[in-house]
Amino acid sequence: MQYAGFWRRFGAFWIDFIALLPLMAIGVFGTNLSRWFHPIWLIPGALIGLWFSVYLVIRHGGTPGKLVMGTRIVMEDGSAVTTQAAVVRHSVLFALSFLTSAALAYAAVIAPDDQYHSLTFVQKSVFLTELAPSWYGVLNVLLQVWVWSEFITILCNKKKKALHDYMAGTVVIRLQAKG
């Protein structure tokens, strides 16, 4: 197995980011339209995240970005990713993302409607952050630490494994060119 390097994985991250831009645009539009968008979108957003990062990994061996970059996620022995491994791989990011989103959804529910609608998009974000439960800030920092530590970990080992790969027993390999 030839392990996928940092730049290939970093490129896959950005391709996935671009693939998810339409959903982010829906989020921006919905947030600007109504404070109720946050609680309404919480579950559908979480399900889309699970489909993208768990189902696609089980079904196709990776997210669109990984596949476009010519890589595949496999178990350490080279076999297909198991359901359990795919869930474990995504569990920390999912939990941190869901809880931070839930905190913002709560803030949106308690926000006065007239005050919310008098604000610009950026001001709404700041306002909701201020209304969020105190644990939101801690989780948001943990989320950032998790994401950055994933990239740092990839740089520091021969198999180019991220923390979630160690947790799940997976590796990301380069696909062999057919020819």
Side-chain angles (χ1 to χ4, degrees):
M1 288 190 288
Q2 185 177 9
Y3 303 111
F6 173 82
W7 291 112
R8 209 171 268 269
R9 290 186 72 166
F10 191 67
F13 171 85
W14 286 108
I15 291 169
D16 287 339
F17 179 83
I18 291 166
L20 292 171
L21 276 175
L23 292 173
M24 291 179 221
I26 291 170
V28 169
F29 177 76
T31 299
N32 215 29
L33 192 63
S34 170
R35 68 185 175 92
W36 290 102
F37 181 81
H38 283 282
I40 291 169
W41 186 250
L42 183 64
I43 299 302
L47 292 174
I48 290 167
L50 289 172
W51 171 79
F52 194 84
S53 297
V54 176
Y55 174 76
L56 292 179
V57 169
I58 294 165
R59 180 79 169 103
H60 301 288
T63 60
K66 291 251 187 336
L67 300 177
V68 166
M69 292 302 293
T71 63
R72 180 161 306 220
I73 304 163
V74 296
M75 301 305 294
E76 286 183 332
D77 65 4
S79 62
V81 175
T82 65
T83 299
Q84 180 180 352
V87 169
V88 168
R89 246 179 145 262
H90 188 57
S91 62
V92 174
L93 182 61
F94 177 80
L96 292 172
S97 298
F98 184 81
L99 290 172
T100 56
S101 295
L104 292 175
Y106 168 78
V109 167
I110 65 169
D113 211 34
D114 57 337
Q115 189 174 1
Y116 183 84
H117 287 293
S118 70
L119 303 171
T120 67
F121 177 75
V122 172
Q123 289 171 330
K124 287 174 183 172
S125 296
V126 171
F127 181 59
L128 292 180
T129 300
E130 291 169 353
L131 284 178
S134 59
W135 45 266
Y136 167 79
V138 173
L139 286 179
N140 198 33
V141 169
L142 288 174
L143 178 60
Q144 297 305 312
V145 168
W146 177 257
V147 169
W148 287 105
S149 65
E150 292 276 86
F151 287 117
I152 292 167
T153 306
I154 292 169
L155 288 168
C156 296
N157 65 86
K158 290 180 182 178
K159 292 184 179 182
K160 304 300 178 197
K161 292 175 69 162
L163 292 174
H164 62 256
D165 292 314
Y166 283 106
M167 291 170 51
T170 58
V171 292
V172 180
I173 59 169
R174 289 179 66 168
L175 295 174
Q176 302 302 320
K178 295 180 177 156

